[in-house]
Amino acid sequence: MASGGGNNRNGTHRNSLKGTTTTSAASTDKPLSVNSNPSKPAFKNKSSPLTGASSGLRKSSPGSLGGGAAKDDAGVPGRVRVAVRLRPRNAEESVADADFADCVELQPELKRLKLRKNNWDTDTYEFDEVLTEFASQKRVYEVAAKPVVEGVLDGYNGTIMAYGQTGTGKTYTLGRLGEEDTANRGIMVRAMEDILAEVSPEIDSVLVSYLQLYMESLQDLLDPTNDNISIVEEPKSGDVSLPGATLVEIRDQQSFLELLRLGEAHRHAANTKLNTESSRSHALLMVHVKRTVKGREPAHSSDNGNSTSMARSLRPPLVRKGKLVVVDLAGSERIDKSGSDGHTREEAKSINLSLSALGKCINALAENSAHVPVRDSKLTRLLRDSFGGTARTSLVITVGPSPRHRGETASTIMFGQRAMKVENMLKLKEEFDYKSLARRLDIQLDKLIMEHERKQKAFEVEIERITAEAQNRISEAERNYADAVEKERLKYQKDYMESIKKLEEKWMMNQQNQGNERKEQMVHIAEEVAEVKKLLSKETSLRKAAEEEVDNLKSQLAQLKMSEALANSEILKLQKMVEDEVCQKEKLEGEISMLQSQLLHLSFEADETRKRLDRGGPGKVPGGLDSPVSQVRSQLKDSGNGEKASVAKLFEQVGLQKILSLLEAEDADVRIHAVKVVANLAAEETNQQKIVEAGGLKSLLMLLGSSEDETIHRVAAGAIANLAMNEKNQELIMSQGGISLLSTTASHAKDPQTLRMVAGAIANLCGNDKLQTKLRGEGGIKALLEIVKCGHPDVLAQVARGIANFAKCESRASTQGSKTGRSLLIEDGALPWIVQNANSDASPIRRHTELALCHLAQHEVNAKDMISEGALWELVRISQDCPREDIRTLAHRTLASSPDFIAGLKRLRIDY
Ligand code: ADP
Ligand code: MG
């Protein structure tokens, strides 16, 4: 590794200091201070720069514990520490260089090294530690190695490396075993002493590998057959491991020394075999320290110190894994590439490859270059963590004093200077040891299972014992109980026997006393017994007979019951049949009455139709020739008197009562049919009496009041009119409020036929002499005068007839002298209507009014009114023009006999 470090080789003390100071300022934790404590060498105790950094690490470590080594925390900055060690002149140098001064001058208190350029000029370099030729091995260990070893024990990786020209004391510094003099023990031995002093052999482990790297081949110094060990890098963590290397667990210093000796012997043998020197190869000692952290809660524990022992036992132990790598590098001197030392040019290149690669990496790191060619050699791959990685690295550069090797010395110094600029990020390798926790728990579990089994067994034995004991106790108690019972039983038996005996004795005594009396009684009793026996046998025979009788009766009863049951079922059957019959009958009756009413209706319709046919033409017949009415009519025509005969037959078959009852039927159609039938019957004089007697008149009057159906009103009024032809019936109609019912019906009527019927009925009533006053009093005349408003000639004819009837009765009463006052017709204002219609075109109207006027004129008291209302003219006309002779004569006679009329005629100048 050529220095080529012209850039860093400063000509002045000042310049070189400046450069170094810059480096110091860049490092935050760099404890090195040129002036801080000159009297106290910085490396002497734990406050030394490297140790100081170590304390700093310890403080910061809890913060980086969380995820253990795997966690990608930032780590703590830690620059590569570089110490320079000067070998004393050896015998040869003492002789050969006797006249020359050393090429280096050390200022350990200032941590400076002066390299003589020539007799008058030097370059000054500052290092972390400057170790003179007098520095003891112990001191070298303490300042250059101990902080790193302590770091490894705390869970950091560490590297201690010696660099320098062959023969300058690298192996002396690192590898001396100190067998001849323990004071000469080198760093490896001392490091292991410190490690073994710190670890606990039960829970911690120290594993060692020892290797040699020569011409890019990695050989196992603990197993010489293994001469091509591969390097495995874990891509995630960047950790380097050598799975093929022998790992020896170290438990004591002695075994370690033996291991080193063995390794050294193998190294020597290998080098002989390869025809090389150990100075051409790199020796690497790797110490893996795994320590369990005692008495410290993990930083992320959340139970605030209240953890139970259970929780504690379930917590995996925290382990720290530190790896110490001690590297005794090959000599840094330039290899003669001419092949003069027995190597070919290619071999020379290969021998130096790793070292020159290391130099390049350090240069790149020192200059913060983006690319660090770590992968260029096996050495740089192996030391990846030591430079620019996470390890704490301490480099000892060894120089000789001889001016003859000034060039190599300068190159070594420049290597050290550049290495000082390399900044590492120290990281704690701490993790939870789940495996050991699992092991521990397994052991604990085994113990518990065993303990449980033991207890279980003891428990079962105890149960068995208790069961046996209980069984014993139970059987003993049972025995005791049986004994006691037996005893008790015997005692009672004995008592019982004794009392029986006593009673028997007593009884015997009593028997003897009573013996004599008894004999007499016995005879008497024997007689009585014989008597009783006789009675008994008699009773028995009687009883037997009675029992036979009872049996007999019982069997009869059973028979009767049977026949009764039969009869009952028969009765039930018959009842059912009767009910069915009744049902059937009711149904049939209903149907019959329906049919009857329909038939009656048809008959009525037929009758009506027939009448109309008789009266007018066929045009008045409603419906076509095919209608049922027309059919009936045709049948009636065919059969002549058959229709009347059929109504009469019906009357016979159904009975008047039944027909009248239908007037109150719920079905409106039935009511209508019934009233038509009744009306039809009432038209026959022979039936009228029967209808009235059966209450038909009353029902018809009621229908006028209760029904709102105009057809019913019309037909009922017609029927009433027919019935009102009979004098007796007229009184009945009047006494049952007929006038008011008829006038109400008239006031609601819309059909002139209804009014005709009502007017006809009233007209009939008007003809009764006895009812004049009552009829007038109940509004009969007024009702007639209301009816005339309809104007229908048929109606007016009926009204006229009524008025004529009334006037005739009045005139009869006046003649007889039972009536004296003015006519009630005039009183009720009927005169104007009479006068008005006296000359009507309709002959029935004219005839009745003419008659009425004549009757009114019979009585002198009416004359004045008649004259004033213009009746005189009508009377004159009647006396001359009336086609009926009797009326004509009556009018004439009246005019001629009445003084008022004669005066009136005179006054009106009517020539009569
Ligand atoms: P290197 O390993 O660098 O090639 P060595 O350690 O083999 O050098 O040292 C070469 C010689 O110098 C050895 O004989 C060694 O005993 C001696 N030597 C080296 N350093 C010292 C020292 N500090 N004090 C006394 N002798 C030393
Ligand atoms: Mg050596």
Side-chain angles (χ1 to χ4, degrees):
M1 183 173 190
S3 82
N7 290 349
N8 290 334
R9 189 183 286 193
N10 295 312
T12 60
H13 174 191
R14 203 182 146 81
N15 282 348
S16 69
L17 268 180
K18 196 182 172 186
T20 317
T21 311
T22 310
T23 310
S24 309
S27 170
T28 51
D29 67 336
K30 184 183 180 242
L32 185 70
S33 166
V34 175
N35 301 314
S36 65
N37 199 353
S39 60
K40 221 175 177 184
F43 284 174
K44 262 193 173 165
N45 53 38
K46 293 220 167 180
S47 67
S48 70
L50 298 177
T51 324
S54 168
S55 321
L57 288 175
R58 283 184 184 169
K59 262 186 232 158
S60 65
S61 60
S64 62
L65 287 180
K71 193 168 175 190
D72 188 23
D73 52 354
V76 179
R79 183 172 56 73
V80 172
R81 305 282 154 172
V82 182
V84 61
R85 186 179 194 186
L86 178 64
R87 175 178 52 72
R89 285 189 178 206
N90 58 27
E92 190 245 317
E93 283 166 342
S94 300
V95 177
D97 301 333
D99 297 336
F100 302 99
D102 288 350
C103 72
V104 293
E105 187 196 320
L106 303 180
Q107 292 177 311
E109 66 284 1
L110 296 174
K111 301 188 177 180
R112 284 179 187 165
L113 176 148
K114 287 187 168 181
L115 177 67
R116 203 181 297 278
K117 287 165 83 177
N118 48 46
N119 282 339
W120 62 89
D121 200 5
T122 55
D123 284 335
T124 302
Y125 300 97
E126 196 172 300
F127 285 95
D128 291 316
E129 198 57 50
V130 170
L131 299 159
T132 67
E133 64 268 45
F134 310 113
S136 67
Q137 287 282 74
K138 182 171 186 278
R139 176 160 163 73
V140 171
Y141 172 74
E142 278 174 355
V143 299
K146 192 162 184 153
V148 179
V149 173
E150 283 174 347
V152 169
L153 286 165
D154 281 344
Y156 293 87
N157 286 344
T159 311
I160 303 165
M161 197 160 64
Y163 179 95
Q165 196 184 350
T166 301
T168 50
K170 296 185 295 294
T171 308
Y172 184 86
T173 302
L174 297 175
R176 279 296 283 265
L177 301 181
E179 286 163 310
E180 71 293 348
D181 180 358
T182 51
N184 288 337
R185 287 170 295 148
I187 283 173
M188 288 178 180
V189 176
R190 287 173 195 269
M192 186 55 74
E193 278 172 6
D194 278 0
I195 288 167
L196 290 174
E198 281 294 313
V199 299
S200 319
E202 315 82 48
I203 50 168
D204 299 338
S205 78
V206 180
L207 299 167
V208 170
S209 310
Y210 199 14
L211 309 136
Q212 173 174 259
L213 178 65
Y214 177 65
M215 280 183 69
E216 295 305 288
S217 102
L218 198 54
Q219 299 156 10
D220 194 340
L221 289 177
L222 302 178
D223 177 8
T225 59
N226 195 4
D227 60 0
N228 192 15
I229 294 167
S230 52
I231 301 167
V232 177
E233 283 148 286
E234 207 183 290
K236 240 186 179 176
S237 64
D239 283 349
V240 175
S241 64
L242 306 168
T246 308
L247 267 176
V248 176
E249 174 147 30
I250 301 300
R251 298 197 162 271
D252 55 61
Q253 191 63 17
Q254 206 49 48
S255 62
F256 180 63
L257 289 174
E258 268 161 33
L259 182 139
L260 286 182
R261 263 197 292 274
L262 181 75
E264 204 47 49
H266 285 149
R267 192 181 186 195
H268 183 74
N271 290 342
T272 310
K273 197 173 148 195
L274 291 166
N275 193 20
T276 184
E277 299 163 40
S278 62
S279 64
R280 297 289 176 222
S281 69
H282 313 279
L284 296 107
L285 178 77
M286 292 181 174
V287 185
H288 302 267
V289 181
K290 192 176 108 185
R291 294 181 75 199
T292 300
V293 182
K294 283 181 279 184
R296 194 166 66 81
E297 299 293 324
H300 62 284
S301 171
S302 59
D303 50 23
N304 299 325
N306 296 330
S307 54
T308 61
S309 62
M310 183 64 172
R312 241 195 309 275
S313 74
L314 284 175
R315 185 177 303 129
L318 194 61
V319 290
R320 287 177 179 172
K321 291 174 174 175
K323 184 172 85 174
L324 175 66
V325 183
V326 184
V327 191
D328 186 355
L329 291 168
S332 64
E333 65 278 0
R334 259 174 272 189
I335 294 169
D336 186 354
K337 287 168 186 125
S338 67
S340 61
D341 57 357
H343 291 283
T344 65
R345 203 179 148 79
E346 283 309 302
E347 278 175 337
K349 252 180 158 178
S350 183
I351 288 164
N352 240 8
L353 179 72
S354 277
L355 204 58
S356 55
L358 179 64
K360 280 179 200 162
C361 285
I362 286 173
N363 280 349
L365 287 163
E367 286 161 20
N368 268 327
S369 171
H371 177 65
V372 182
V374 174
R375 301 202 59 81
D376 283 3
S377 75
K378 285 198 173 164
L379 182 67
T380 46
R381 281 168 70 197
L382 281 167
L383 296 178
R384 187 192 192 115
D385 198 36
S386 307
F387 292 94
T390 67
R392 175 186 297 266
T393 298
S394 178
L395 175 68
V396 180
I397 57 165
T398 55
V399 291
S402 172
R404 282 178 289 150
H405 299 298
R406 215 199 65 84
E408 292 297 341
T409 304
S411 149
T412 302
I413 287 165
M414 291 323 296
F415 181 89
Q417 286 287 299
R418 282 193 295 276
M420 279 176 78
K421 292 184 181 172
V422 176
E423 194 79 41
N424 286 359
M425 290 303 286
L426 312 183
K427 274 191 188 166
L428 188 67
K429 312 284 181 184
E430 189 176 54
E431 60 188 40
F432 290 112
D433 188 355
Y434 290 101
K435 272 187 194 164
S436 82
L437 172 69
R439 267 199 309 278
R440 201 175 75 207
L441 291 176
D442 267 350
I443 293 164
Q444 222 168 319
L445 185 67
D446 279 350
K447 262 193 206 163
L448 288 172
I449 289 170
M450 254 166 62
E451 178 71 5
H452 173 72
E453 280 174 354
R454 196 184 58 72
K455 280 187 178 163
Q456 180 77 22
K457 204 161 184 196
F459 178 72
E460 279 167 8
V461 169
E462 181 67 9
I463 291 281
E464 250 170 54
R465 193 187 62 72
I466 290 168
T467 310
E469 200 180 298
Q471 215 87 58
N472 285 343
R473 281 194 194 165
I474 288 165
S475 49
E476 199 186 311
E478 278 174 353
R479 260 200 317 276
N480 290 345
Y481 175 73
D483 287 352
V485 167
E486 184 60 21
K487 243 188 226 168
E488 202 68 0
R489 195 182 64 80
L490 288 171
K491 189 174 159 259
Y492 278 116
Q493 205 171 22
K494 208 175 133 198
D495 289 354
Y496 175 73
M497 293 307 280
E498 272 170 13
S499 40
I500 291 283
K501 217 172 167 184
K502 274 181 196 164
L503 281 170
E504 274 177 354
E505 278 166 12
K506 260 188 194 170
W507 185 77
M508 287 290 276
M509 266 162 62
N510 282 346
Q511 283 297 98
Q512 274 174 7
N513 292 343
Q514 289 172 2
N516 301 334
E517 284 172 28
R518 273 212 190 141
K519 267 180 191 164
E520 287 168 22
Q521 283 173 0
M522 287 299 266
V523 177
H524 185 65
I525 286 168
E527 285 170 7
E528 277 183 0
V529 165
E531 188 77 12
V532 167
K533 269 184 185 168
K534 230 196 242 163
L535 280 169
L536 192 65
S537 70
K538 200 173 155 194
E539 281 294 315
T540 307
S541 65
L542 278 172
R543 204 185 132 188
K544 231 179 199 170
E547 273 174 359
E548 272 166 17
E549 185 67 34
V550 165
D551 283 347
N552 202 10
L553 287 170
K554 267 184 188 168
S555 71
Q556 279 180 16
L557 188 68
Q559 270 175 2
L560 283 172
K561 270 186 182 163
M562 237 159 69
S563 50
E564 191 196 336
L566 273 171
N568 277 344
S569 73
E570 200 67 22
I571 286 165
L572 281 174
K573 244 192 242 166
L574 288 168
Q575 271 177 351
K576 184 98 203 319
M577 277 164 72
V578 167
E579 276 167 16
D580 287 352
E581 286 291 318
V582 167
C583 230
Q584 198 65 21
K585 195 182 153 199
E586 274 171 8
K587 223 161 107 186
L588 287 170
E589 274 178 358
E591 276 172 23
I592 286 169
S593 63
M594 194 66 187
L595 287 168
Q596 282 171 349
S597 69
Q598 279 174 4
L599 186 61
L600 287 174
H601 173 61
L602 286 173
S603 311
F604 183 77
E605 292 282 342
D607 188 32
E608 293 270 295
T609 312
R610 189 172 50 80
K611 277 180 190 162
R612 270 189 219 126
L613 279 170
D614 292 345
R615 255 186 279 148
K620 284 185 183 176
V621 180
L625 280 169
D626 292 336
S627 73
V629 174
S630 66
Q631 282 173 13
V632 169
R633 187 191 65 189
S634 67
Q635 281 170 10
L636 288 173
K637 268 193 169 173
D638 293 345
S639 59
N641 279 343
E643 173 261 332
K644 262 186 184 169
S646 74
V647 173
K649 206 177 163 191
L650 196 74
F651 195 14
E652 260 171 46
Q653 280 176 351
V654 180
L656 183 61
Q657 205 59 51
K658 179 83 187 168
I659 293 167
L660 291 176
S661 75
L662 288 174
L663 290 175
E664 284 154 36
E666 281 196 16
D667 190 340
D669 279 346
V670 174
R671 277 204 304 276
I672 290 170
H673 294 154
V675 78
K676 284 178 178 175
V677 171
V678 172
N680 214 12
L681 290 169
E684 300 293 320
E685 220 182 308
T686 46
N687 297 331
Q688 285 176 355
Q689 195 55 34
K690 287 176 193 164
I691 289 168
V692 174
E693 276 168 10
L697 179 59
K698 204 174 175 184
S699 296
L700 289 166
L701 286 166
M702 246 167 69
L703 266 183
L704 284 187
S706 63
S707 176
E708 282 172 11
D709 186 279
E710 178 137 21
T711 307
I712 289 178
H713 285 175
R714 176 169 52 79
V715 181
I720 291 165
N722 278 339
L723 295 175
M725 290 192 292
N726 179 300
E727 199 183 320
K728 214 172 162 192
N729 294 346
Q730 289 166 354
E731 281 166 23
L732 272 174
I733 290 165
M734 288 302 291
S735 68
Q736 282 168 21
I739 289 299
S740 102
L741 283 169
L742 286 166
S743 39
T744 309
T745 305
S747 69
H748 292 135
K750 290 187 182 83
D751 183 357
Q753 290 308 316
T754 311
L755 292 171
R756 185 170 76 93
M757 298 303 170
V758 172
I762 296 174
N764 286 346
L765 296 172
C766 285
N768 190 319
D769 296 299
K770 296 175 202 159
L771 298 175
Q772 295 278 290
T773 319
K774 187 169 166 62
L775 190 140
R776 187 253 173 176
E778 286 177 11
I781 294 162
K782 288 255 162 82
L784 287 174
L785 291 174
E786 275 297 306
I787 289 168
V788 298
K789 284 177 184 167
C790 103
H792 194 283
D794 288 352
V795 179
L796 299 188
Q798 291 301 325
V799 172
R801 184 169 71 85
I803 285 171
N805 280 347
F806 198 89
K808 185 176 145 197
C809 289
E810 266 191 337
S811 109
R812 220 175 2 238
S814 300
T815 312
Q816 285 164 10
S818 56
K819 178 163 174 36
T820 48
R822 207 160 59 139
S823 163
L824 294 175
L825 288 169
I826 294 170
E827 293 281 317
D828 278 358
L831 192 56
W833 185 81
I834 299 168
V835 175
Q836 207 177 315
N837 286 279
N839 197 17
S840 171
D841 290 337
S843 67
I845 302 171
R846 196 178 63 233
R847 198 176 68 241
H848 290 304
T849 42
E850 280 171 351
L851 197 59
L853 276 179
C854 288
H855 285 305
L856 285 173
Q858 295 302 308
H859 202 42
E860 196 65 29
V861 287
N862 298 330
K864 274 184 185 131
D865 289 289
M866 290 184 80
I867 291 163
S868 67
E869 290 291 336
L872 191 55
W873 293 100
E874 289 303 324
L875 283 171
V876 173
R877 184 189 57 76
I878 292 164
S879 65
Q880 288 166 357
D881 294 347
C882 183
R884 276 176 60 174
E885 201 193 338
D886 53 336
I887 296 174
R888 222 171 38 235
T889 311
L890 183 64
H892 181 76
R893 210 172 47 221
T894 307
L895 285 174
S897 60
S898 161
D900 279 332
F901 284 135
I902 292 165
L905 286 170
K906 229 180 231 169
R907 198 169 49 250
L908 292 171
R909 295 178 195 283
I910 298 169
D911 190 22
Y912 196 72

